[in-house]
Amino acid sequence: LSLWAPSGGAERVLAIQGAAWRAVAGAAVACQAVEGMLADVAHNSTWCLLLVGWDGSQLPVAAVPLSAGPDSLPRDGAIIAPVFDVPLNALRQPSDAVAALHLEPSQGRLWAVLAGGDLQAWQLLSGRPRALGRWALELGDRAVAVCEDAARGEVVLATRGGGSGALLEAPRLLGSPLPGALSGPAPPA
């Protein structure tokens, strides 16, 4: 997996233990929040990079210490060593494959847009990781990206139109407040 510091400059390539990842989401978080997810327990870092990958069948989770703060890269030779898999519903058909991932850093929520149009969410921080829900999206277009703005309590989807479909449509606000199990009883429309 190739990483670059937000300030630009050097690239760091990290090896991933296990199957190759087809998609990845990550966020800089306090190492204290991911202590149980660290393969490198002998670190002295304050900040860690929390990573979730999609390997075609599972969503492995790993945390890697950052060398010098949230805008830095992991040390040379660091290895991405997943410690558990997010409980993805069993893949029954191709529409259950993951199309896009987003990891919201302040709350530790993982979002996955599935190829068939569903949206699934998990809570990775604040206790034991757990599923938050799965919602069938009826957008008429294919969702290709998801992003949560936790401060505003909103989830935004980028969609691709049906026809020739090469262009992204205007982002769609999924819900404010957040859908279903995250803020109330009703799933998104």
Side-chain angles (χ1 to χ4, degrees), residues 1-3 12-19 21 24-25 37-40 49-53 60-65 74-75 77-83:
L1 180 66
S2 295
L3 302 172
R12 182 87 21 98
V13 178
L14 303 181
I16 300 171
Q17 287 183 348
W21 291 0
V24 65
M37 300 177 198
L38 287 164
D40 177 5
L49 182 59
L50 178 59
L51 295 165
V52 180
V61 177
V64 180
R75 65 175 170 72
I79 295 174
I80 299 170
V83 293

Side-chain angles (χ1 to χ4, degrees), residues 40-169:
D40 177 5
V41 294
H43 71 88
N44 60 355
S45 300
T46 303
W47 289 92
C48 287
L49 182 59
L50 178 59
L51 295 165
V52 180
W54 165 244
D55 66 9
S57 64
Q58 300 181 55
L59 292 166
V61 177
V64 180
L66 294 171
S67 59
D71 292 336
S72 66
L73 294 170
R75 65 175 170 72
D76 282 328
I79 295 174
I80 299 170
V83 293
F84 70 92
D85 295 315
V86 172
L88 183 64
N89 290 348
L91 295 176
R92 295 176 297 276
Q93 51 198 354
S95 63
D96 288 332
V98 173
L101 292 170
H102 171 70
L103 183 56
E104 193 289 318
S106 67
Q107 302 296 317
R109 278 193 283 261
L110 173 65
W111 295 89
V113 173
L114 304 182
D118 286 1
L119 180 67
Q120 194 162 351
W122 300 266
Q123 184 72 44
L124 298 184
L125 303 179
S126 304
R128 186 175 171 205
R130 62 187 170 89
L132 296 173
R134 183 170 174 164
W135 301 270
L137 303 176
E138 310 228 352
L139 300 172
D141 296 322
R142 190 178 73 168
V144 294
V146 60
C147 182
E148 176 187 353
D149 180 347
R152 294 178 60 178
E154 297 175 341
V155 176
V156 178
L157 292 172
T159 60
R160 183 174 298 181
S164 60
L167 300 175
L168 292 178
E169 305 292 331

